[in-house]
Amino acid sequence: MRKINLIRKTTVAALTVACLATSLTGCGNKKDDGTVTFTNVSYDPTREFYAAYNEMFAAHYKEETGNDIELVQSHGGSGSQARSVIEGNDADVVTLALAHDVTAIENAGLINAGWLDEFDRNSSPYTSTIVFLVHSGNEKGIQDWQDLTKEGVEIITPDPKSSGGACWNFLAAWYYAKMQFDGDEAKMKEFVSKIYDNVLVMDSGARGATTTFVENGQGDVLIAWENEALLTLKEYPDEYELITPSVSILAEPSVAIVDENADKNGTQELAKEYLEFLYTPEAQRLAGEHYYRPSDETILNEFADTFDLTVNMCTIDDFGGWDQAYEDFFADDAIFDEIYGN
């Protein structure tokens, strides 16, 4: 099987983009030649997007200031990345999979209160949703969540304890069960438990799960970010199919300035500009080209041939917001632990 081209090499004068699977420490101080070093700690599937975005932003920064910028990029499971920042990863900004992971950094005293309202649309410049990726021919006939409960179906999905995408996966399945069983929690737990009984491999992050399914050839179905599934279809146009379930979820990745670090590094204004630039038309189109749904609805509609804009989505508000959802489902001894038997 061909290896999926998950990291594309890029070259821009005075721009360094290091896509790391593990935590990375960066410094925002200026070098002797005036070049600023700036670190964005992100989650797994944004590697290709931020490689391209950092080139775009570096060119913008050079044009505006006359200075070069060295952009350092770190990737991993969103929960793991949040913990790395709390433990000392010197991120100037974080661009993580869900608001709860940013709130964890806030609670550690590194991000100022009110970050969710600092940027437009709940500080979510692009969105996604959850879909299924199956092998061409879809031998197991997977069309919706109930098909994931069938005996013999092998599922690949990451671990909600370390992956933000995995949390979105779980909540989408739970909401489907809620609709099917009219809110009968016992039946909902039984249904979702059957799905997780069929999980063959539970990787720590969404990109690792994609690698397990695509490169290692394990499993019948990958529960995936839409952008990951579309990227795989681009790389393997004849080998996989994307299935949109009848109910999914509006996944809103969050961005924030790590104020404690940005103040120390002298990059507070730069961090604000870096994240605000994500909302510009050129950056929104770049997000669409990398299979993220632009938050600008006019630009989103330009990608109507790429995205299913009719998919039925619940939102995190249906779960009482992320703080409540995390407490109910993903905290120690909450519903996920009960279902998965941890």
Side-chain angles (χ1 to χ4, degrees):
M1 180 178 286
R2 301 190 311 275
K3 289 241 180 197
I4 188 168
N5 184 17
L6 296 179
I7 302 178
R8 296 170 178 80
K9 294 181 180 179
T10 58
T11 56
V12 168
L15 170 65
T16 300
V17 180
C19 293
L20 303 180
T22 55
S23 302
L24 176 64
T25 300
C27 176
N29 297 328
K30 281 188 177 180
K31 295 183 177 180
D32 292 341
D33 63 0
T35 300
V36 175
T37 302
F38 182 87
T39 300
N40 173 10
V41 169
S42 195
Y43 66 105
D44 264 334
T46 61
R47 298 167 189 263
E48 293 76 25
F49 170 62
Y50 277 109
Y53 176 74
N54 286 347
E55 288 189 1
M56 177 183 285
F57 183 78
H60 163 76
Y61 184 80
K62 178 75 170 181
E63 182 178 353
E64 291 292 313
T65 68
N67 296 324
D68 293 317
I69 184 170
E70 182 178 324
L71 290 160
V72 180
Q73 197 68 38
S74 173
H75 297 277
S78 186
S80 299
Q81 290 290 80
R83 287 191 290 274
S84 81
V85 174
I86 293 168
E87 293 167 2
N89 189 336
D90 196 23
D92 297 284
V93 298
V94 289
T95 55
L96 297 176
L98 46 85
H100 176 79
D101 291 335
V102 181
T103 299
I105 303 171
E106 175 192 355
N107 291 340
L110 299 176
I111 293 176
N112 295 340
W115 67 268
L116 193 65
D117 299 319
E118 187 168 0
F119 301 98
D120 289 344
R121 298 180 180 271
N122 294 324
S123 292
S124 182
Y126 42 80
T127 67
S128 191
T129 191
I130 301 305
V131 299
F132 306 150
L133 190 69
V134 300
H135 298 282
S136 183
N138 193 10
E139 182 179 336
K140 297 293 177 73
I142 294 164
Q143 297 297 331
D144 212 342
W145 293 101
Q146 77 267 10
D147 297 318
L148 303 189
T149 68
K150 293 177 181 177
E151 185 176 352
V153 171
E154 295 182 340
I155 299 168
I156 307 297
T157 183
D159 185 349
K161 295 292 188 178
S162 55
S163 166
C167 295
W168 293 114
N169 293 354
F170 185 96
L171 293 180
W174 184 265
Y175 195 81
Y176 174 87
K178 182 179 181 180
M179 296 297 97
Q180 291 295 110
F181 300 110
D182 295 323
D184 185 323
E185 188 165 297
K187 291 181 179 179
M188 293 158 62
K189 287 180 179 178
E190 181 181 8
F191 178 86
V192 177
S193 180
K194 287 180 179 179
I195 291 177
Y196 280 85
D197 284 345
N198 282 343
V199 172
L200 178 66
V201 177
M202 187 174 283
D203 288 283
S204 62
R207 180 52 59 86
T210 302
T211 299
T212 295
F213 185 71
V214 175
E215 293 187 14
N216 299 341
Q218 294 182 263
D220 301 305
V221 55
L222 171 70
I223 309 177
W225 289 97
E226 180 183 52
N227 56 284
E228 281 285 270
L230 288 169
L231 177 61
T232 301
L233 292 184
K234 179 182 178 181
E235 297 288 340
Y236 298 89
D238 301 318
E239 297 183 33
Y240 297 94
E241 298 176 21
L242 186 155
I243 305 295
T244 301
S246 63
V247 174
S248 192
I249 191 166
L250 177 65
E252 297 178 292
S254 298
V255 303
I257 300 169
V258 185
D259 297 288
E260 181 80 10
N261 294 343
D263 288 342
K264 176 190 66 178
N265 294 336
T267 57
Q268 183 71 235
E269 291 185 9
L270 173 58
K272 185 174 183 179
E273 184 175 3
Y274 179 85
L275 296 182
E276 285 182 338
F277 195 75
L278 285 165
Y279 293 88
T280 62
E282 55 266 47
Q284 288 284 291
R285 289 191 177 90
L286 187 69
E289 290 165 3
H290 285 81
Y291 307 120
Y292 287 94
R293 295 180 177 228
S295 62
D296 184 316
E297 292 191 10
T298 299
I299 295 177
L300 173 62
N301 286 326
E302 294 177 11
F303 291 88
D305 291 340
T306 300
F307 304 113
D308 179 357
L309 301 182
T310 67
V311 60
N312 180 24
M313 297 187 202
C314 62
T315 74
I316 194 61
D317 291 339
D318 292 307
F319 300 89
W322 260 114
D323 288 345
Q324 188 64 52
Y326 197 86
E327 180 180 342
D328 290 344
F329 294 98
F330 307 117
D332 289 344
D333 299 321
I335 289 174
F336 174 75
D337 281 354
E338 180 184 346
I339 283 174
Y340 198 61
N342 290 340

